[in-house]
Amino acid sequence: MLSKKLEKVLNKQIEKEGYAAQLYLAMASWSEAQGYEGISNWFYEQHKEEVEHMLKFIKYMNERGSHATVPKIDQPPKDFAGVKKVFEASLEHEQMVTRSINEIVGISLEEKDFTTHNWIQWFVDEQLEEESSVQNILDKLNLIGDGNLYMFDRDIMSMRAEGEE
Ligand code: FEO
């Protein structure tokens, strides 16, 4: 059985993953509306991954004899101030999620819930991958500077980390 404290943070994490899914969907829609097909595909894929993350938390809680709460999710921003800004916002968001996952790791140890501690390690690895994937994109954007984004938009899907579908 999950402790009340873990139940609370895991439910909160469902909401955070759900918000990430909505945020990436908004970013995909914005990019598509701007004519960046590659970038929008990249964000649509991110959206799908975040939905998967949310489901993993729901299923894990239920598997542990709890009952996950399906949350109300805030509306993400509609507009972004440019391609670089959209990826900066994405990195900031992932850094926040990493802090949140680390907090769950800490609480699972405090509560001596080694099953959760073991299970959450997948997310620890995933966060490392997600942050580095967005950081790589930002590095490329910094190299391009104010240059033409056409090639970047064409090539971005090949920048997805190995194993990401
Ligand atoms: Fe599910 Fe990108 O954090």
Side-chain angles (χ1 to χ4, degrees):
M1 215 37 196
L2 292 166
S3 70
K4 285 284 159 227
K5 198 170 177 186
L6 262 175
E7 210 168 48
K8 197 171 163 196
V9 286
L10 290 173
N11 268 322
K12 200 73 199 147
Q13 193 63 31
I14 292 173
E15 188 183 334
K16 288 177 188 171
E17 302 292 345
Y19 181 75
Q22 294 293 86
L23 178 64
Y24 288 139
L25 191 56
M27 289 172 169
S29 177
W30 176 84
S31 311
E32 196 165 45
Q34 307 298 310
Y36 296 118
E37 195 189 337
I39 296 171
S40 76
N41 283 336
W42 194 90
F43 279 115
Y44 280 125
E45 287 304 315
Q46 288 301 109
H47 161 75
K48 284 193 222 157
E49 276 192 21
E50 299 300 349
V51 170
E52 283 297 318
H53 293 174
M54 179 173 63
L55 285 177
K56 270 185 199 281
F57 277 96
I58 290 174
K59 285 172 179 283
Y60 176 71
M61 288 186 74
N62 291 346
E63 195 183 342
R64 289 294 306 277
S66 186
H67 180 182
T69 307
V70 175
K72 177 173 183 287
I73 295 171
D74 288 341
Q75 185 176 22
K78 182 176 181 183
D79 288 307
F80 300 89
V83 169
K84 201 171 158 200
K85 290 278 180 220
V86 93
F87 283 103
E88 281 170 353
S90 163
L91 181 61
E92 238 170 66
H93 188 79
E94 289 303 330
Q95 288 166 339
M96 183 279 286
V97 172
T98 300
R99 285 195 295 276
S100 176
I101 296 289
N102 286 341
E103 199 188 327
I104 298 173
V105 173
I107 294 171
S108 65
L109 281 180
E110 265 170 37
E111 304 279 300
K112 295 195 182 346
D113 186 332
F114 301 114
T115 308
T116 299
H117 183 260
N118 188 45
W119 178 81
I120 198 84
Q121 297 308 311
W122 184 89
F123 280 95
V124 173
D125 291 342
E126 177 71 6
Q127 283 311 117
L128 175 66
E129 196 180 274
E130 298 235 321
E131 278 193 37
S132 94
S133 151
V134 182
Q135 188 60 63
N136 284 343
I137 287 171
L138 277 169
D139 291 346
K140 294 270 184 323
L141 283 170
N142 283 330
L143 281 175
I144 296 169
D146 292 329
N148 194 330
L149 285 169
Y150 176 79
M151 303 283 256
F152 174 84
D153 185 55
R154 194 195 59 181
D155 296 340
I156 185 170
M157 284 305 275
S158 63
M159 283 183 232
R160 286 181 70 76
E162 212 136 298
E164 284 182 273
E165 294 295 330

